[in-house]
Amino acid sequence: MLLLAFDTATPAVTAAVHDGTTVLAETFQVDARRHGELLLPAVDQVLRTAGVDKHRLTGIAVGVGPGPYTGLRVGLVTAAALGHALGLPVYGVCTLDAIAHQARTEGLTGPFTVATDARRKEVYWASYDASGARVEGPAVDRPAELSPEQRSVGAGALLYPETFPGAHAPEHVSAGALADFAATELAAGRELLPCVPLYLRRPDAQVPVGYKAVLPA
Amino acid sequence: MADEPLVLGIETSCDETGVGIVRGTTLLADAVASSVNDHARFGGVVPEIASRAHLEAMVPTIQRALDTAGIKAADLDGIAVTAGPGLAGALLVGVSAAKAYAWALDKPLYGVNHLASHICVDQLEHGRLPQPTMALLVSGGHSSLLLSEDITTDVRPLGATIDDAAGEAFDKVARVLGLGFPGGPVVDRRAREGDPKAIAFPRGLSGAKDPEYDFSFSGLKTAVARWVEAKRRAGEEVPIADVAASFQEAVTDVLTRKAVKACKANGVDHLMIGGGVAANSRLREMAQQRCDKAGIVLRVPRPGLCTDNGAMVAALGAEMVWRDRAPSSFDLSADSSLPVTEVSVPHTDLHSAAHEALRS
Ligand SMILES: [Zn+2]
């Protein structure tokens, strides 16, 4: 197995190469407004660092969110296009699952909640049991409406300490963790997600309120 | 190969996901997936809906174009993409896809200007553009008079709308008349049964002291709305066909008059008209009459090539390859306000210099 993984659903632009056992190379830059500029150079760089020719890859793993849409789509369309051009399968991973996987790798035990920043005073969140399985979410809500687990990670949790007391890192997703999650699931024969964004909200669209008169009433 | 470059072009600046493939100046495929019906009930293009649709349509539209052209992606000499201007989130989907294809296939990437592409598409219909070429671009997003010496490097704005784009005025008048969205085709259709001289609507910016080549359609739109409302208020029936014809006449009169004037003043004997409004039958007819009279050769691509599509981007990309212009780097940005003077985006520092120059 030789996976190229990346994620653009959080402020991080991150890419990694994974050989089925370990992360061969990883890049991680935080710049919420420049996913479009940074992703492809990061992909190119991580393959060079790993010494892997793109034609030797066996699959692409991509974070399908939830996350702010504009950045999220950069990752998804890049994955779909690379998969198409290189003839590779594309595996979708819920970005919150990848963060949860990283948190557990870093030693977090017991049930916990992952929350990222959904802007507009909301968070994207999901909860996990002691075995690391997702038991609730992904969903988008106002922090005050949530009753999360006692432990929590992610930038969304760090942003709202009243709802998520004692929240800690990882803040954003890392592609290394996402690749490792995907490799583990694939090795166990489990299915991953399709390359389709988890928007969780309907598009913002105002229907114009009829035709507005220009003559004084 | 170098004389007939095979290029794929991607266009996502508004609500059409367009993928075109051209060899030199020959069109091989023009695949378009439009989300226009998803926007109709909102009376205008909703950016988030457009961006979602681009993501869904991208790979299938690329495949459809490759199938139609009967080529393999590996045979391409380059990938071109609209880098701007347009809706930021929509552009970003196309730019990201183009980068991924270019990188995966080891092909050069060309980030190009949407407006220059609208001009260059005419090469697919009428052969290489004469140098210089005058271009009148009219659509829901733009109304500009442009003079181009070399379509890959030199496009100069002579004038543009100071308020609404011409196509926007069509949409708004259609809404006033209750004809639905988009307004262009339906106003054109209704106008055919109407009298273009029935109502004397104003010709914007046509006074002696007004800017010679700029346009204004906001006052016209308001005049139409006032006229229609007054009729309704008086309890009279609104003569929809006459209103449509008279409005359309006012728009095309100003557009063609200024375009012909610009040709004469600059000693240019070719005029091309592009953009969605170039599909308007009255505009084509009046432009032909006035160009004939002035001894100007009129070039208007067929309607399908006038609206936003990938073929126009591929056409400019092929011209870039043919003229050995510099490709873009992989950190190419989608730029919603890309200046018209910037035909392509070779690298970041030149790009910001062009923005500076336009501001000063
Ligand atoms: Zn256009």
Side-chain angles (χ1 to χ4, degrees):
Chain A
M1 193 187 304
L2 208 45
L3 285 181
L4 167 66
F6 47 85
D7 188 289
T8 57
T10 73
V13 179
T14 174
V17 180
H18 195 287
D19 68 1
T21 312
T22 186
V23 175
L24 302 182
E26 179 176 352
T27 67
F28 184 87
Q29 293 158 280
V30 176
D31 191 339
R33 313 198 120 260
R34 304 215 320 133
H35 289 105
E37 287 89 333
L38 297 174
L39 180 60
L40 217 282
V43 164
D44 187 57
Q45 191 206 321
V46 82
L47 281 163
R48 281 174 203 274
T49 308
V52 169
D53 185 299
K54 60 192 165 219
H55 299 107
R56 283 179 49 222
L57 292 169
T58 62
I60 293 168
V62 63
V64 295
Y69 310 147
T70 303
L72 176 60
R73 276 189 287 264
V74 169
L76 282 164
V77 79
T78 301
L82 291 180
H84 186 215
L86 296 169
L88 294 174
V90 179
Y91 307 110
V93 172
C94 171
T95 298
L96 302 173
D97 289 357
I99 297 176
H101 185 73
Q102 182 177 352
R104 285 172 53 83
T105 313
E106 290 172 2
L108 184 62
T109 56
F112 64 97
T113 296
V114 178
T116 59
D117 184 9
R119 300 176 187 167
R120 302 188 209 165
K121 299 188 176 132
E122 293 187 318
V123 292
Y124 295 118
W125 67 277
S127 287
Y128 298 82
D129 67 14
S131 74
R134 172 155 38 91
V135 289
E136 262 192 289
V140 59
D141 287 292
R142 286 178 171 265
E145 288 157 10
L146 297 178
S147 39
E149 300 293 343
Q150 286 200 342
R151 276 173 266 233
S152 56
V153 299
L158 288 157
L159 207 55
Y160 301 101
E162 312 83 56
T163 304
F164 304 99
H168 56 86
E171 214 179 331
H172 310 310
V173 67
S174 90
L178 189 144
D180 199 66
F181 177 85
T184 310
E185 294 294 293
L186 288 172
R190 283 191 287 268
E191 274 205 25
L192 289 160
L193 301 174
C195 180
V196 173
L198 297 170
Y199 287 123
L200 306 190
R201 288 187 191 122
R202 292 151 71 84
D204 263 342
Q206 293 291 317
V207 183
V209 199
Y211 149 65
K212 200 161 141 272
V214 292
L215 286 180
Chain B
M1 174 222 92
D3 49 347
E4 286 294 338
L6 183 63
V7 173
L8 179 144
I10 300 174
E11 152 65 34
T12 62
S13 69
C14 194
D15 60 342
E16 323 270 0
T17 311
V19 178
I21 298 174
V22 310
R23 192 188 294 280
T25 58
T26 307
L27 177 64
L28 302 184
D30 181 19
V32 180
S34 177
S35 62
V36 66
N37 293 333
D38 304 333
H39 305 283
R41 68 196 172 98
F42 302 107
V45 173
V46 179
E48 177 60 23
I49 292 177
S51 298
R52 290 185 181 196
H54 287 312
L55 173 60
E56 278 176 39
M58 184 53 63
V59 168
T61 311
I62 295 264
Q63 187 58 55
R64 200 145 50 83
L66 290 170
D67 291 345
T68 306
I71 61 148
K72 291 197 292 292
D75 302 333
L76 292 165
D77 296 310
I79 309 276
V81 64
T82 303
L87 301 170
L91 287 167
L92 191 54
V93 176
V95 167
S96 301
K99 285 183 194 181
Y101 280 105
W103 178 82
L105 299 165
D106 294 304
K107 307 295 179 189
L109 169 75
Y110 297 90
V112 300
N113 191 300
H114 180 80
L115 300 178
S117 303
H118 266 306
I119 302 175
C120 200
V121 74
D122 191 50
Q123 300 207 140
L124 305 178
E125 195 96 311
H126 301 110
R128 285 229 142 68
L129 288 165
Q131 296 179 304
T133 286
M134 187 67 68
L136 172 66
L137 291 191
V138 272
S139 76
H142 18 267
S143 308
S144 319
L145 256 177
L146 305 166
L147 178 58
S148 171
E149 281 291 342
D150 174 340
I151 194 56
T152 63
T153 57
D154 182 4
V155 175
R156 266 170 284 166
L158 297 184
T161 180
I162 60 165
D163 39 56
D164 295 350
E168 240 179 308
F170 274 90
D171 287 340
K172 287 176 182 167
V173 165
R175 197 188 301 167
V176 168
L177 294 174
L179 300 177
F181 173 88
V186 64
V187 169
D188 191 356
R189 213 177 320 120
R190 297 305 295 269
R192 275 172 218 171
E193 301 124 40
D195 175 7
K197 295 200 180 83
I199 310 147
F201 286 129
R203 271 60 170 162
L205 295 187
S206 291
K209 288 191 179 148
D210 286 327
E212 260 181 316
Y213 303 127
D214 283 340
F215 304 106
S216 166
F217 298 108
S218 174
L220 169 61
K221 166 197 79 189
T222 309
V224 173
R226 278 174 183 277
W227 195 92
V228 170
E229 275 173 38
K231 276 275 168 206
R232 283 188 186 137
R233 203 163 284 186
E236 292 172 45
E237 202 184 320
V238 177
I240 289 179
D242 285 348
V243 174
S246 300
F247 156 77
Q248 180 172 279
E249 195 73 1
V251 173
T252 54
D253 180 27
V254 177
L255 288 172
T256 54
R257 189 181 302 278
K258 293 202 175 201
V260 167
K261 189 174 176 191
C263 286
K264 285 186 183 163
N266 289 277
V268 180
D269 59 2
H270 282 81
L271 171 67
M272 84 77 56
I273 305 185
V277 178
N280 182 274
S281 63
R282 182 61 183 141
L283 177 63
R284 294 169 93 99
E285 183 185 45
M286 194 189 284
Q288 192 64 62
Q289 287 162 358
R290 289 186 172 173
C291 281
D292 287 348
K293 214 170 143 202
I296 295 165
V297 178
L298 177 67
R299 296 171 50 130
V300 193
R302 64 176 180 270
L305 292 178
C306 286
T307 48
D308 292 349
N309 60 72
M312 67 191 215
V313 182
L316 182 51
E319 194 66 16
M320 299 278 297
V321 177
W322 190 68
R323 292 182 185 251
D324 208 17
R325 303 298 179 213
S328 306
S329 52
F330 281 117
D331 64 356
L332 172 71
S333 307
D335 183 348
S336 59
S337 56
L338 186 70
V340 64
T341 47
E342 206 175 354
V343 175
S344 70
V345 188
H347 44 79
T348 333
D349 39 332
L350 278 178
H351 180 60
S352 45
H355 265 288
E356 287 294 310
L358 214 76
R359 238 174 270 130
S360 61

